[in-house]
Amino acid sequence: MTINGWLQIFIFLALIFAVTKPLGVFITRVFARERTFLDPVLRPIERLLYRITRVDESHEMRWTEYATTMLVFSAVSMLVLYLIQRLQAVLPFNPQHLGAVAPEHLAFNTAASFTTNTNWQAYSGETTMSYFTQMAGLAFHNFASAATGIVLAIAFIRGIARRQMNTLGNFWVDFVRCCLWVLLPFCVVGALLLVSQGVVQNLKPYDTVKLVEPQQVQRVGADGRLVVDASGKPVMDTVTTQTIAQGPVASQEIIKEWGTNGGGFFNANSAHPFENPTPLTNLAEMFAIFAIGAGLTYTLGCMTGSPAHGWAVWSAMAILFLAGVTVAYWAEAQGNPLYPSTIAQHASNLQPGGNMEGKEVRFGIANSALFATVTTDASCGAINGWHDSFTPLGGMVPLVNIMLSEVIFGGVGSGMYGILVYIVLAVFIAGLMVGRTPEYLGKKIEAYDVKMAMLVSLVFPLIILTLTGISVVKGFGTAGISNPGPHGLSQILYAFTSSAGNNGSAFGGLTVNTLWYDTATGITTLVGRFFMIIPMLAIAGNLAQKKYVPPSLGTFPVTTPLFSLLLISVILILGALTFFPALSLGPILEHLLMQVGKTF
C-alpha cells in the first residue's frame, strides 16, 4: 500500500462528492419538468416522440399501472433482443459474417441479462456479436435498462414526497426524459472523451496481422476448455497471425459505465486497451459508474425537502465504500504469503509482496482494487482485472458488495431504491427502540411497508443460496469450476450473486455457457430485477397515499450521523450476516488455508 495509491482513491471520492449536488439538482429539475439548459434542443424532440407514440404526458399512473407498463416494456424489448441475436446472420453491419447466436439458451441468457441491466456475458463479445447486435440490441438495452432503473428510483422518491395521492408519475414520460436528458447528452460527451484517449470507434472489419515471431498457444475447445491429448497434456497450436478486433466501442463503453451496465465489447472488458487504454480513461470510467448513483442521493434530499437527509445517505454509502476498498487494497498489496516478496516484487515491479496476477500493469494494484470495489458497489459489472485472480479476501470484497444489494452508490436507480428499502427497515427498527410508530420524512411506516421491505430482502438471498446449493452438489454445476475446494464454491456463489444482484461481473474460472448455467443465471437475473421491483413500487404507492405527520420529540431524525450509523448497521446485518455461512466456506476458508500453505 502506497501514499500514491491512497491519494488516487481519495481523489476519486472527492470527484464523486463534487458532482453529487450539481448532478442531483439537474436530475431533480428534469423529473420535476422544470426548465434546464438542454430544453431548447430536447423539448421539441420529446413532444414529437409523444405525438408519434400517442403518449398523454399529463396522465399520471398508480403504482400498479406504473409496474405493469414497465413489465410489458421489458418483456417486449427482451423478446426483440432475443430475435436480433437469433437472426444476426441475415442482419446488416456484420462484416465478420458471424452466425446466429447459439445455442438458444445463450441467446435467452443474454436477452434476460441485458434487459435487467445485468449484462452478464457467457460469451466472448468480439467473436459472437455483430456490430448490429452490439448497437441495435445490446447498446439499446444499456440505455433502456438504465433509464428504467432511474425512473423507478424517482417513482419511489415521489412516493415519499407526495401526500395523499394515488399516483407516482407516468412511466413513459419519465423514461423518455431520462434517456433524452440524463443519459444521451452525457454519453455523447463521454464517448468523445474516450475516443480522444484512443478508444476505438468504427465499423471496419477486423484486421489480420502477421506476428513477428510464431507463438505456441494451448488449443481451446468450443466449450472454452483446454484440449488435451491422451496423456493429459495440453495440445499446442502454432500461431503466425493475429486478428485485431475493433468496432463501435466508445459509444458502447460510455453507456456501459454511465448506465452502470457492464458488458464489455471485448471479452477482456475494461482491461482491453481498446476499451480502457489510459489511466485517464480508467478514472473517467470509474467516475461514470458512481456519478448518477451519487447524484440521486441529493435528488432524494431535494424532492423530499430534506437535503441533509440526502447527505446522511451519501455519508453511509461513502463509509461502506471506503471500508470495502481498504480491505481490497490491503489484501492485494499483501499478496500471496506462499511467494517470497522478492519474487512478487520483481514480477509486479511495483511494490514488495503485491499480487499482480490478473491485473493490468497500466493500472496497478491500487486502481485494480478501486475498480473492483466501484464496479460491485454499483450494479455495473465492468472489470479491469480478473477477480478470480485476486487474493481470497481481495476477491471477497466484490462478492460482499453485491451481497449488500449494491446500495453503496449503487446501480443507476437500483442502488437508490435498494437503499430506500433498507431505510424503511432502519426507521422501523428505530421506532421499535423508542416504543412508537416509526416515521420517515413525515410518513408513518406501518406493517404493510415493512412486509414489502422484508419481501425484497428475502427474495435476494433465497434465489442465490438455493441455486448455489444445487450447483455445488450436482455434476452439471461442479463440472464448470476450474478450481477445487473453497475457491470453486466462490466461483459458483459469485455467479449467482452477480446475476441476482444484476451486476454482471464474473469471478472468472467458471464455464458458464452451458444449459444449466445459461438457464439458471438467466432466470436469476429476472428474479433479481422484477421480483424486487414490484414490492418496492408497492411501498412507494402506499407511502404516497399517506398523510403528512409533523415531527415530534419522539421522531427519529434521519439527518444525523446516528442515522447514518444505524443505516450502515442494518445493511451489514441483513446483507452480510445472511451470507456469512457461505462466505465462511468460500473465501474466508480459502484465506485461512492459504496462510498455512494450501492453495487452490
Side-chain angles (χ1 to χ4, degrees):
M1 302 173 77
T2 65
I3 295 177
N4 180 55
W6 281 114
L7 184 62
Q8 294 179 67
I9 291 170
F10 283 111
I11 287 175
F12 167 76
L13 186 59
L15 290 173
I16 297 302
F17 174 78
V19 79
T20 297
K21 182 175 180 178
L23 187 56
V25 170
F26 176 76
I27 293 173
T28 302
R29 295 180 66 86
V30 168
F31 290 104
R33 309 193 71 178
E34 299 174 1
R35 185 172 179 80
T36 71
F37 67 96
L38 293 173
D39 281 23
V41 176
L42 298 181
R43 184 61 178 143
I45 299 174
E46 182 190 21
R47 292 196 189 98
L48 177 61
L49 288 174
Y50 296 151
R51 192 175 299 118
I52 294 172
T53 57
R54 298 184 179 180
V55 169
D56 180 5
E57 58 182 310
S58 63
H59 173 66
E60 288 265 331
M61 298 179 176
R62 293 174 176 266
W63 81 262
T64 49
E65 184 182 0
Y66 204 100
T68 302
T69 305
M70 178 272 300
L71 290 172
V72 171
F73 170 75
S74 299
V76 172
S77 61
M78 176 179 168
L79 176 61
V80 170
L81 177 55
Y82 178 84
L83 293 175
I84 288 175
Q85 293 178 84
R86 298 296 293 157
L87 298 173
Q88 176 175 269
V90 298
L91 294 173
F93 296 105
N94 187 6
Q96 301 309 119
H97 306 291
L98 298 172
V101 176
E104 291 85 351
H105 52 76
L106 175 61
F108 160 75
N109 178 280
T110 305
S113 177
F114 277 77
T115 301
T116 58
N117 199 238
T118 308
N119 306 82
W120 171 270
Q121 293 175 291
Y123 60 88
S124 176
E126 61 265 47
T127 60
T128 307
M129 300 296 181
S130 69
Y131 294 164
F132 184 88
T133 305
Q134 291 275 15
M135 294 185 295
L138 306 186
F140 166 78
H141 276 77
N142 282 351
F143 280 93
S145 62
T148 299
I150 293 172
V151 303
L152 289 168
I154 295 298
F156 200 143
I157 296 173
R158 285 196 188 114
I160 300 168
R162 291 183 172 183
R163 305 175 186 178
Q164 295 180 278
M165 294 183 66
N166 294 320
T167 59
L168 297 175
N170 185 307
F171 175 80
W172 297 118
V173 173
D174 290 342
F175 181 85
V176 168
R177 293 187 70 84
C178 184
C179 288
L180 290 181
W181 270 264
V182 180
L183 298 179
L184 276 170
F186 292 96
C187 285
V188 170
V189 175
L192 292 175
L193 171 64
L194 295 182
V195 169
S196 73
Q197 293 297 301
V199 178
V200 173
Q201 180 73 17
N202 61 47
L203 295 174
K204 294 171 54 180
Y206 297 171
D207 291 325
T208 301
V209 297
K210 183 175 293 186
L211 297 177
V212 176
E213 295 181 358
Q215 301 289 323
Q216 293 290 317
V217 299
Q218 295 176 332
R219 184 182 300 175
V220 179
D223 60 355
R225 295 177 176 272
L226 293 178
V227 178
V228 297
D229 58 22
S231 65
K233 294 182 179 180
V235 176
M236 306 298 292
D237 291 327
T238 300
V239 177
T240 59
T241 62
Q242 181 178 350
T243 300
I244 307 297
Q246 52 201 305
V249 180
S251 56
Q252 183 93 342
E253 186 71 17
I254 187 60
I255 187 58
K256 179 180 90 172
E257 264 82 33
W258 188 250
T260 62
N261 291 283
F265 194 96
F266 302 105
N267 189 43
N269 211 282
S270 289
H272 197 291
F274 283 178
E275 285 197 31
N276 190 9
T278 68
L280 179 58
T281 60
N282 193 64
L283 175 61
E285 291 176 16
M286 290 190 295
F287 174 82
I289 292 171
F290 262 15
I292 294 180
L296 282 171
T297 62
Y298 198 81
T299 298
L300 169 66
C302 284
M303 292 181 68
T304 59
S306 180
H309 174 57
W311 284 118
V313 174
W314 189 97
S315 299
M317 293 178 173
I319 292 170
L320 288 169
F321 159 73
L322 287 173
V325 75
T326 298
V327 174
Y329 187 20
W330 171 82
E332 295 310 298
Q334 295 300 306
N336 191 326
L338 302 183
Y339 291 94
S341 62
T342 52
I343 296 177
Q345 182 180 9
H346 175 74
S348 67
N349 199 28
L350 290 176
Q351 61 187 49
N355 174 35
M356 278 298 292
E357 181 187 341
K359 299 179 179 63
E360 269 291 318
V361 294
R362 301 195 309 275
F363 310 129
I365 291 174
N367 270 283
S368 296
L370 177 59
F371 201 109
T373 304
V374 168
T375 196
T376 50
D377 279 339
S379 63
C380 184
I383 56 172
N384 76 348
W386 214 238
H387 298 172
D388 188 54
S389 294
F390 279 31
T391 61
L393 294 185
M396 186 179 72
V397 170
L399 181 57
V400 170
N401 285 342
I402 307 174
M403 289 174 171
L404 296 179
S405 301
E406 298 159 315
V407 296
I408 309 171
F409 296 105
V412 286
S414 62
M416 176 51 60
Y417 63 69
I419 203 164
L420 285 171
V421 170
Y422 278 121
I423 289 173
V424 168
L425 295 174
V427 171
F428 173 73
I429 292 171
L432 293 179
M433 290 178 179
V434 297
R436 58 170 288 155
T437 302
E439 300 166 11
Y440 174 48
L441 294 176
K443 300 292 181 70
K444 287 187 177 295
I445 302 300
E446 298 169 317
Y448 180 85
D449 307 302
V450 177
K451 289 177 182 178
M452 291 297 104
M454 286 307 302
L455 181 59
V456 174
S457 301
L458 292 173
V459 166
F460 186 61
L462 177 64
I463 187 69
I464 293 171
L465 297 177
T466 299
L467 292 177
T468 298
I470 294 172
S471 299
V472 298
V473 298
K474 294 294 184 179
F476 51 73
T478 57
I481 64 175
S482 60
N483 299 81
H487 194 85
L489 172 61
S490 296
Q491 292 176 345
I492 295 174
L493 180 63
Y494 195 104
F496 287 109
T497 304
S498 179
S499 299
N502 299 138
N503 183 273
S505 66
F507 200 65
L510 182 69
T511 302
V512 292
N513 189 13
T514 65
L515 176 61
W516 165 249
Y517 281 112
D518 277 339
T519 304
T521 56
I523 293 172
T524 302
T525 63
L526 296 172
V527 172
R529 177 77 160 185
F530 300 115
F531 277 58
M532 297 175 72
I533 281 175
I534 295 173
M536 178 275 298
L537 281 175
I539 297 173
N542 191 48
L543 290 175
Q545 300 177 51
K546 296 183 179 184
K547 297 180 180 179
Y548 176 75
V549 179
S552 63
L553 293 176
T555 301
F556 181 73
V558 293
T559 59
T560 63
L562 179 60
F563 167 76
S564 298
L565 180 61
L566 177 63
L567 180 58
I568 292 171
S569 302
V570 171
I571 292 171
L572 292 177
I573 291 171
L574 291 181
L577 294 185
T578 301
F579 294 98
F580 184 74
L583 293 172
S584 298
L585 296 173
I588 295 175
L589 176 59
E590 185 183 2
H591 172 75
L592 296 175
L593 291 173
M594 184 180 71
Q595 299 300 311
V596 296
K598 178 68 174 176
T599 59
F600 297 90

